[in-house]
Amino acid sequence: MGIIVQKFGGTSVGTVDRIQNVANRVIEEKKRGNDVVVVVSAMGKTTDQLVGMAREISPAPNKREMDMLLTTGEQVTISLLAMALGAKGHPAVSFTGWQAGIKTEPVHGNARILDIDTGKIQTELQQGNIVIVAGFQGMTEDGAITTLGRGGSDTTAVALAAALKADKCDIYTDVTGVFTTDPRYIKNARKLYSVSYDEMLELANLGAGVLHPRAVEFAKNYGLPLEVRSSLEKESGTIIEEEVKMEQNLVVRGVAFEDDITRVTILGLPNSLTGLSTIFSALANNHINVDIIIQSMTEAQTTNLSFSIKNEDLTDTVKVLEKSRDSLNYDRIEWESGLAKVSIVGSGMISNPGVAAEMFEVLSANEIQVKMVSTSEIKVSAVVENGKMLEAVDALHDAFQLSDSAVKA
């Protein structure tokens, strides 16, 4: 007997019928002789509806009260699933994030998990109960309710699996696994049967919505096997592990993309040794994530600095920079929205030079202008116009032969 953690997303629990289906999947695992902990998201579009109501009241709702509001969505799901399991003859107990012992940092809207006290969960498992935990939420040391940000239920599931020393964590979703790119937009996308932690971490950070980056970090740090699989179809999914055993022939293993990108440029910065640290420390202290960074010297011996952020962070970014204008002594700020980021990812890129050159040749051949570039050992990202995003993804997906049947071997 082992411990299996299962996570079901909002689509998987979107209706009462689907909750009944989830209950059946949980029971199947229980009948294999395992203890089962289930992490669930809010039903369907519940979170979006709650956000919509809040914004009808205030265009900028208080973040603490938003956490109080949004955590109610998961409470509905956990109680309904516990009822469904009980009605099928399998006793279950539901816990909110704080009842499950999930302790977070004091940041509303995007908190990180600091610790998990698994005592209550362990007690219930020892009594033969199935434990259901609300994803996406936790509590600070002083008792404030927090949420974990986008994809937080994935993080909850993997963190719980690590804390419980579970044998495996299964992430159930509305797709059958991790694909070479998003199959909703690129019809020739193919399912990968295994992906390394590092590749999945890059894909997740670069916009692949199937797993949250923090969840992959937890899994990598604890050596925890993950499987992304369908909640509706009974077939094997994609294994995320340290070493990929299949599809070794693929240099590039996936194309990720995300829109709503803004490029911010600070013009006329003095050539100060402390200027960059001041800027990025201030942004970090305000929980603004910066992605691609480009610095260039001018003939006037000043510096121009560009970086990319999400559109939603633009207002806060401008406020932070204007607040520091006197100390930074720059000329002006400019920004360009309506951008997107397209990335190729693959551990095979380390030993195959020329991949970046091929990527830029493909984009040039399709008359797609590259506005910013970022690279690492296993990825190359390019910022392009939002309207050209899917065209770029499609062209790169074909160029690196990700539509070929070999991907499915």
Side-chain angles (χ1 to χ4, degrees), residues 10 14 24 32 57 94 101 115 131 162 199 249 282 349-350 352 395:
N24 292 333
R32 294 188 185 102
I57 293 172
S94 65
D115 189 29
V131 177
E199 288 171 328
N249 59 312
M349 294 165 61
I350 297 173
N352 287 273

Side-chain angles (χ1 to χ4, degrees), residues 38-40 74-75 78 95-97 102 132-137 156:
V38 187
V39 174
V40 292
E74 283 73 21
Q75 282 189 249
I78 59 174
F95 289 142
T96 62
I102 298 172
I132 306 161
V133 178
F136 179 64
Q137 58 188 248
T156 301

Side-chain angles (χ1 to χ4, degrees), residues 75-106:
Q75 282 189 249
V76 173
T77 316
I78 59 174
S79 55
L80 289 175
L81 181 55
M83 293 174 193
L85 288 164
K88 294 176 184 291
H90 291 268
V93 60
S94 65
F95 289 142
T96 62
W98 44 98
Q99 288 174 321
I102 298 172
K103 298 172 184 173
T104 76
E105 62 184 357

Side-chain angles (χ1 to χ4, degrees), residues 4-7 157-158 161 166-171 224-227:
I4 302 296
V5 175
Q6 299 178 316
K7 180 262 176 178
V158 179
D167 295 82
K168 188 184 178 189
C169 181
D170 289 333
I171 307 292
L224 177 71
L226 292 180
E227 183 171 359

Side-chain angles (χ1 to χ4, degrees), residues 19-296:
I19 288 174
Q20 295 283 12
N21 174 65
V22 166
N24 292 333
R25 299 299 291 267
V26 173
I27 291 168
E28 287 173 8
E29 194 62 64
K30 182 68 173 176
K31 286 182 175 178
R32 294 188 185 102
N34 293 309
D35 288 329
V36 185
V37 177
V38 187
V39 174
V40 292
S41 301
M43 294 175 66
K45 299 292 185 181
T46 299
T47 301
D48 292 340
Q49 292 167 358
L50 292 172
V51 170
M53 286 190 286
R55 287 181 176 163
E56 285 183 28
I57 293 172
S58 168
N62 179 277
K63 291 185 177 182
R64 178 192 183 278
E65 299 310 323
M66 281 297 289
D67 279 357
M68 291 291 287
L69 174 67
L70 297 183
T71 50
T72 62
E74 283 73 21
Q75 282 189 249
V76 173
T77 316
I78 59 174
S79 55
L80 289 175
L81 181 55
M83 293 174 193
L85 288 164
K88 294 176 184 291
H90 291 268
V93 60
S94 65
F95 289 142
T96 62
W98 44 98
Q99 288 174 321
I102 298 172
K103 298 172 184 173
T104 76
E105 62 184 357
V107 176
H108 288 293
N110 196 29
R112 291 180 176 269
I113 296 174
L114 299 177
D115 189 29
I116 301 179
D117 181 351
T118 61
K120 284 186 178 181
I121 294 175
Q122 296 277 18
T123 298
E124 295 295 338
L125 292 177
Q126 289 166 9
Q127 294 174 3
N129 293 325
I130 296 167
V131 177
I132 306 161
V133 178
F136 179 64
Q137 58 188 248
M139 180 176 281
T140 66
E141 193 66 41
D142 61 0
I145 294 172
T146 55
T147 60
L148 308 183
R150 181 181 174 187
S153 292
D154 289 345
T155 308
T156 301
V158 179
L160 276 172
L164 291 164
K165 295 181 171 58
D167 295 82
K168 188 184 178 189
C169 181
D170 289 333
I171 307 292
Y172 288 89
T173 181
D174 56 351
V175 294
T176 56
V178 178
F179 282 67
T180 50
T181 193
D182 193 327
R184 294 173 299 177
Y185 299 97
I186 306 300
K187 63 180 181 179
N188 292 326
R190 297 289 182 262
K191 184 171 76 175
L192 293 161
Y193 286 90
S194 60
V195 177
S196 72
Y197 291 128
D198 288 337
E199 288 171 328
M200 191 67 243
L201 187 56
E202 288 283 15
L203 288 168
N205 273 314
L206 295 168
V210 70
L211 266 179
H212 193 275
R214 289 186 199 168
V216 184
E217 286 177 7
F218 267 111
K220 177 178 171 62
N221 290 340
Y222 290 91
L224 177 71
L226 292 180
E227 183 171 359
V228 178
R229 55 194 309 185
S230 170
S231 61
L232 302 176
E233 300 179 39
K234 294 186 178 180
E235 63 175 81
S236 60
T238 301
I239 300 292
I240 293 101
E241 55 194 346
E242 188 63 45
E243 295 293 333
V244 175
K245 300 179 179 64
M246 304 177 73
E247 298 140 356
Q248 296 283 2
N249 59 312
L250 295 176
V251 175
V252 173
R253 297 172 56 77
V255 182
F257 57 95
E258 59 179 326
D259 56 8
D260 295 331
I261 300 293
T262 293
R263 176 176 63 180
V264 176
T265 301
I266 307 173
L267 297 160
L269 275 167
N271 292 325
S272 165
L273 293 175
T274 60
L276 294 181
S277 62
T278 301
I279 290 169
F280 293 117
S281 293
L283 294 172
N285 290 337
N286 285 271
H287 308 287
I288 297 169
N289 290 321
V290 173
D291 187 15
I292 301 174
I293 301 170
I294 298 174
Q295 181 184 12
S296 59

